[in-house]
Amino acid sequence: MAPMGIRLSPLGVAVFCLLGLGFLYHLYSGALSSRLSVFKQRKTVDLRDLLALSMEAAVQGGWEVKRIRMEDTLEEKSKGKTKEGASEKLTKGDLNSHRKMYYLIKNTYPYIQVNSEEHENSDGEATVWTRNIPDEVLSKIPEGKVVPAESVTVWIDPLDATQEYTENLRKYVTTMVCVAVNGEPVVGVIHKPFTGFTAWAMVGGGANVAPRDSYNANAPKVIVSRSHAGKVKGFIQQAFGNNTEIIPAGGAGYKVLALLDASDDDYEKADMYVHVTFIKKWDICAGNAILKALGGDLTTLKGEEIDYSGSEKNPGGVLATVGMDHAAVVKKLPAWDDENKN
């Protein structure tokens, strides 16, 4: 009598095969996932390279900003109202600069986080960084510094002081890039398209700008935003007296440069920068990094450090100083509460 065997129906064969495939999937997917995780963790970037790339991005964006202003092809629009009730402008200069800056960085390092003030739906640019590091950077920062790519956030402001740009107040206009590591600003670039000057700094590395020889903390010249100079006046006078000199100006990048000694003299000189309302992080990150590299500070009005890894919003105002006791200045400021943030 022939031995009896197990006979499977076509459905049984299919179920058996699926169970086998499932076993193999679980066996190998875990190992593959583990290897991919290790590979991802191994991605690193050099901060000196990111500084050079940021400089090139700011200059390329600046070329677009300058060209469009010179050709008078702004195509001005409104993005709505700011917190202060002013019209928030958008121009072709903003968008073209964004396109140049964002895609240059993203094409070079597709795996790092890049936040820009502007957004658009084009196919982008095909440009990739040339890997050229300027001699001035190499002379001040002879060695690079490698950090995990996942710890990096890049903040771009393709055109700071758009309102002034539309009014042809060119000296206030800048393009800016900032690199933050674990939320701390470490690389800052502020480029002035209409003069060609680029200020840069890397925390723990070097800079091409420096603090001035002296600052007046008791009777300071305070630089503030043109859009709400009246609102900030009482706040500052309460802290430093009614005779305090207030300098209205456009652009957060310009205001930070006003605190420094730089080769570009197309700016006013101030002792501190104060902003009393809501501001976006791409406006202040580059200046924060530059001041930090020079031993200065850019904090909220309560003296709190600003985290550049999360939300784009900074509702706590700004106090920027260099060459003075920042904590002592914070103590002079009037009380800052939630009502002031709007």
Side-chain angles (χ1 to χ4, degrees), residues 30-340:
L32 180 61
S33 176
S34 178
R35 289 189 179 187
L36 286 175
S37 177
V38 170
F39 176 73
K40 184 178 180 180
Q41 289 174 0
R42 286 177 180 169
K43 285 188 180 297
T44 58
V45 289
D46 190 311
L47 290 178
R48 186 178 64 175
D49 287 352
L50 276 177
L51 167 60
L53 172 59
S54 298
M55 293 168 67
E56 187 170 325
V59 170
Q60 285 199 20
W63 286 339
E64 289 298 309
V65 167
K66 182 177 179 180
R67 179 181 67 81
I68 289 166
R69 178 69 268 184
M70 299 294 284
E71 294 174 355
D72 197 21
T73 55
L74 272 62
E75 299 180 11
E76 180 182 335
K77 302 175 183 177
S78 175
K79 294 194 290 186
K81 297 289 186 180
T82 66
K83 289 283 186 177
E84 294 78 41
S87 177
E88 190 172 8
K89 305 292 186 181
L90 176 68
T91 69
K92 187 177 178 182
D94 294 89
L95 294 176
N96 280 24
S97 178
H98 157 79
R99 196 174 297 121
K100 288 288 184 182
M101 296 172 71
Y102 178 86
Y103 287 109
L104 179 63
I105 297 171
K106 201 65 178 174
N107 289 346
T108 305
Y109 294 112
Y111 43 82
I112 64 174
Q113 177 69 36
V114 182
N115 298 331
S116 175
E117 178 175 9
E118 307 304 341
H119 305 85
E120 46 79 44
N121 297 319
S122 75
D123 293 332
E125 300 275 339
T127 53
V128 178
W129 181 41
T130 61
R131 296 282 172 182
N132 175 56
I133 300 178
D135 290 339
E136 64 171 335
V137 173
L138 292 173
S139 66
K140 294 178 181 293
I141 311 176
E143 296 182 3
K145 181 179 180 181
V146 174
V147 298
E150 61 189 14
S151 69
V152 172
T153 305
V154 177
W155 295 86
I156 296 173
D157 193 339
L159 200 170
D160 189 37
T162 300
Q163 176 64 46
E164 287 72 22
Y165 182 63
T166 64
E167 297 173 18
N168 210 16
L169 299 174
R170 303 179 182 187
K171 73 176 184 177
Y172 297 126
V173 175
T174 64
T175 57
M176 298 190 288
V177 184
C178 177
V179 178
V181 177
N182 295 320
E184 296 185 13
V186 296
V187 168
V189 175
I190 302 175
H191 175 68
K192 298 185 72 177
F194 296 102
T195 68
F197 175 70
T198 304
W200 62 265
M202 178 173 140
V203 175
N208 72 334
V209 288
R212 298 198 305 272
D213 291 336
S214 63
Y215 296 86
N216 191 335
N218 296 317
K221 294 181 179 180
V222 184
I223 195 163
V224 304
S225 293
R226 292 172 70 234
S227 61
H228 62 284
K231 183 173 183 178
V232 75
K233 182 177 179 180
F235 181 84
I236 291 171
Q237 288 181 340
Q238 187 176 343
F240 305 107
N242 293 336
N243 294 324
T244 305
E245 182 176 349
I246 297 172
I247 306 171
Y254 176 90
K255 297 184 189 77
V256 168
L257 292 181
L259 306 182
L260 304 176
D261 184 12
S263 60
D264 181 355
D265 61 359
D266 186 27
Y267 59 89
E268 290 137 307
K269 290 179 172 57
D271 296 302
M272 62 183 68
Y273 163 31
V274 173
H275 187 91
V276 299
T277 59
F278 176 96
I279 194 169
K280 298 291 183 68
K281 291 179 182 177
W282 42 65
D283 290 313
I284 56 176
C285 187
N288 197 339
I290 290 174
L291 290 175
K292 188 175 180 182
L294 301 177
D297 297 274
L298 190 154
T299 67
T300 69
L301 292 171
K302 290 183 176 181
E304 303 157 329
E305 297 294 334
I306 299 168
D307 183 355
Y308 293 93
S309 61
S311 166
E312 68 190 37
K313 302 173 183 178
N314 172 51
V318 166
L319 172 65
T321 68
V322 64
M324 63 176 65
D325 187 338
H326 189 84
V329 176
V330 170
K331 290 180 180 179
K332 290 185 177 182
L333 299 180
W336 185 250
D337 55 41
D338 290 341
E339 292 182 3
N340 294 327

